[in-house]
Amino acid sequence: TKVSLPMSAGEWKQTFAKDGASIVSLLGIAEGLILEMISTRKSCVLSELVTELDEPSVITIMAVGVLMKEGLLKAKKSDDRILLELP
């Protein structure tokens, strides 16, 4: 399910009620997929990552933020794009 920001209350409920999973579970799954994708490719453009992952865009972006905060992912601006890489 792709969603846009800001999300309505209905979109939040639909996103986070996926198979009864908690937001922590959804973020953990997305984090693993992101790390796997970037370790395979060496880098990835944020917009492509959001499009390619089969997760809601808000979950993907939140997971990228968590990975960056934990120091497992870094971002740099490349032209008008955000390039994600492993540190």
Side-chain angles (χ1 to χ4, degrees):
T1 304
K2 295 291 181 188
V3 294
S4 58
L5 296 175
M7 291 175 26
S8 69
E11 288 173 314
W12 275 107
K13 288 178 185 174
Q14 179 184 6
T15 299
F16 299 119
K18 181 180 180 182
D19 298 325
S22 71
I23 187 170
V24 175
S25 298
L26 294 172
L27 285 172
I29 291 167
E31 289 171 32
L33 293 170
I34 291 165
L35 289 174
E36 180 180 14
M37 182 181 287
I38 293 176
S39 65
T40 301
R41 298 181 183 184
K42 306 298 182 206
S43 67
C44 186
V45 176
L46 178 60
S47 60
E48 293 172 3
L49 180 73
V50 169
T51 303
E52 291 180 33
L53 282 185
D54 189 25
E55 297 294 330
S57 57
V58 67
I59 295 293
T60 302
I61 293 169
M62 289 170 69
V64 166
V66 170
L67 291 169
M68 290 178 66
K69 184 176 182 181
E70 293 174 349
L72 299 173
L73 194 62
K74 66 179 183 175
K76 65 181 180 181
K77 188 172 180 180
S78 176
D79 299 320
D80 290 333
R81 306 178 310 169
I82 298 173
L83 188 64
L84 302 171
E85 302 174 321
L86 298 176

